[in-house]
Short mmCIF file of all heavy atoms in Angstrom, two decimals:
data_model
loop_
_atom_site.label_atom_id
_atom_site.label_comp_id
_atom_site.label_asym_id
_atom_site.label_seq_id
_atom_site.Cartn_x
_atom_site.Cartn_y
_atom_site.Cartn_z
N GLN A 121 20.61 15.24 15.07
CA GLN A 121 21.27 16.25 14.23
C GLN A 121 20.28 16.86 13.24
O GLN A 121 20.25 18.08 13.05
CB GLN A 121 22.42 15.60 13.45
CG GLN A 121 23.65 15.34 14.30
CD GLN A 121 24.82 14.90 13.43
OE1 GLN A 121 24.68 13.97 12.63
NE2 GLN A 121 25.95 15.56 13.60
N ALA A 122 19.49 16.01 12.64
CA ALA A 122 18.53 16.53 11.65
C ALA A 122 17.48 17.41 12.33
O ALA A 122 17.07 18.44 11.78
CB ALA A 122 17.86 15.37 10.91
N ALA A 123 17.06 17.02 13.54
CA ALA A 123 16.07 17.83 14.26
C ALA A 123 16.67 19.20 14.60
O ALA A 123 16.00 20.23 14.47
CB ALA A 123 15.62 17.11 15.53
N ASN A 124 17.94 19.22 14.99
CA ASN A 124 18.60 20.50 15.27
C ASN A 124 18.69 21.35 14.01
O ASN A 124 18.47 22.56 14.05
CB ASN A 124 20.00 20.25 15.85
CG ASN A 124 19.93 19.77 17.30
OD1 ASN A 124 19.05 20.18 18.06
ND2 ASN A 124 20.85 18.89 17.69
N ALA A 125 19.00 20.70 12.88
CA ALA A 125 19.12 21.44 11.62
C ALA A 125 17.76 22.02 11.21
O ALA A 125 17.65 23.18 10.80
CB ALA A 125 19.66 20.53 10.53
N LEU A 126 16.73 21.21 11.34
CA LEU A 126 15.40 21.68 10.95
C LEU A 126 14.97 22.85 11.85
O LEU A 126 14.34 23.80 11.39
CB LEU A 126 14.36 20.55 11.02
CG LEU A 126 14.53 19.43 9.98
CD1 LEU A 126 13.48 18.33 10.20
CD2 LEU A 126 14.39 19.98 8.56
N THR A 127 15.34 22.78 13.13
CA THR A 127 15.02 23.87 14.05
C THR A 127 15.72 25.15 13.57
O THR A 127 15.12 26.22 13.52
CB THR A 127 15.46 23.52 15.49
OG1 THR A 127 14.85 22.28 15.83
CG2 THR A 127 15.07 24.59 16.48
N GLU A 128 16.99 24.98 13.17
CA GLU A 128 17.73 26.15 12.67
C GLU A 128 17.07 26.74 11.43
O GLU A 128 17.03 27.95 11.24
CB GLU A 128 19.16 25.69 12.35
CG GLU A 128 20.13 26.81 12.09
CD GLU A 128 21.54 26.24 11.81
OE1 GLU A 128 22.10 25.55 12.69
OE2 GLU A 128 22.05 26.48 10.70
N LEU A 129 16.50 25.88 10.60
CA LEU A 129 15.84 26.37 9.39
C LEU A 129 14.46 26.95 9.69
O LEU A 129 13.82 27.53 8.81
CB LEU A 129 15.71 25.25 8.35
CG LEU A 129 17.01 24.70 7.78
CD1 LEU A 129 16.75 23.56 6.80
CD2 LEU A 129 17.81 25.81 7.09
N GLY A 130 13.98 26.74 10.91
CA GLY A 130 12.72 27.39 11.30
C GLY A 130 11.55 26.44 11.54
O GLY A 130 10.44 26.89 11.84
N VAL A 131 11.74 25.13 11.40
CA VAL A 131 10.62 24.21 11.56
C VAL A 131 10.17 24.19 13.03
O VAL A 131 11.00 24.08 13.94
CB VAL A 131 11.00 22.77 11.12
CG1 VAL A 131 9.84 21.79 11.38
CG2 VAL A 131 11.40 22.76 9.66
N LYS A 132 8.87 24.30 13.22
CA LYS A 132 8.31 24.32 14.58
C LYS A 132 7.16 23.33 14.70
O LYS A 132 6.62 22.87 13.68
CB LYS A 132 7.73 25.70 14.90
CG LYS A 132 8.70 26.85 14.85
CD LYS A 132 8.01 28.19 15.10
CE LYS A 132 6.78 28.48 14.23
NZ LYS A 132 6.94 28.49 12.81
N VAL A 137 5.93 19.51 6.70
CA VAL A 137 7.18 19.41 5.94
C VAL A 137 7.00 18.34 4.87
O VAL A 137 6.65 17.20 5.17
CB VAL A 137 8.34 19.01 6.88
CG1 VAL A 137 9.64 18.88 6.10
CG2 VAL A 137 8.49 20.02 8.02
N ALA A 150 14.77 11.92 8.13
CA ALA A 150 13.98 13.14 7.92
C ALA A 150 12.59 13.00 8.54
O ALA A 150 12.11 13.89 9.24
CB ALA A 150 13.87 13.43 6.42
N ALA A 153 12.89 13.13 12.30
CA ALA A 153 13.30 14.45 12.80
C ALA A 153 12.12 15.41 12.77
O ALA A 153 11.92 16.20 13.70
CB ALA A 153 14.46 14.99 11.96
N VAL A 154 11.32 15.33 11.71
CA VAL A 154 10.12 16.17 11.62
C VAL A 154 9.19 15.81 12.77
O VAL A 154 8.67 16.67 13.50
CB VAL A 154 9.43 15.98 10.25
CG1 VAL A 154 8.05 16.62 10.22
CG2 VAL A 154 10.30 16.53 9.12
N LEU A 157 10.02 17.09 16.24
CA LEU A 157 9.71 18.50 16.53
C LEU A 157 8.21 18.75 16.66
O LEU A 157 7.78 19.88 16.83
CB LEU A 157 10.28 19.38 15.41
CG LEU A 157 11.80 19.30 15.22
CD1 LEU A 157 12.24 20.15 14.05
CD2 LEU A 157 12.53 19.74 16.50
N TYR A 184 8.34 23.70 4.18
CA TYR A 184 9.70 23.15 4.07
C TYR A 184 9.64 21.90 3.20
O TYR A 184 8.64 21.17 3.22
CB TYR A 184 10.25 22.77 5.45
CG TYR A 184 10.24 23.96 6.39
CD1 TYR A 184 9.11 24.24 7.16
CD2 TYR A 184 11.33 24.81 6.45
CE1 TYR A 184 9.08 25.35 7.98
CE2 TYR A 184 11.31 25.92 7.27
CZ TYR A 184 10.17 26.20 8.04
OH TYR A 184 10.15 27.31 8.84
N ILE A 186 12.15 18.48 2.09
CA ILE A 186 13.41 17.74 2.21
C ILE A 186 13.49 16.81 1.00
O ILE A 186 12.52 16.09 0.71
CB ILE A 186 13.47 16.95 3.53
CG1 ILE A 186 13.18 17.88 4.72
CG2 ILE A 186 14.85 16.29 3.69
CD1 ILE A 186 13.15 17.19 6.08
N LEU A 218 15.91 21.38 2.02
CA LEU A 218 17.10 20.69 2.52
C LEU A 218 17.39 19.54 1.56
O LEU A 218 16.50 18.73 1.28
CB LEU A 218 16.77 20.18 3.93
CG LEU A 218 17.90 19.56 4.74
CD1 LEU A 218 19.08 20.50 4.89
CD2 LEU A 218 17.37 19.18 6.14
N GLN A 244 25.69 19.73 13.23
CA GLN A 244 24.84 19.90 14.42
C GLN A 244 25.27 18.95 15.55
O GLN A 244 25.87 17.91 15.30
CB GLN A 244 23.37 19.59 14.09
CG GLN A 244 22.78 20.42 12.98
CD GLN A 244 22.56 21.87 13.37
OE1 GLN A 244 22.39 22.19 14.55
NE2 GLN A 244 22.58 22.74 12.37
#
Side-chain angles (χ1 to χ4, degrees):
Q121 284 189 309
N124 286 326
L126 292 177
T127 305
E128 192 179 300
L129 295 178
V131 177
K132 300 177 307 302
V137 179
V154 169
L157 300 177
Y184 303 89
I186 307 177
L218 187 56
Q244 303 289 334

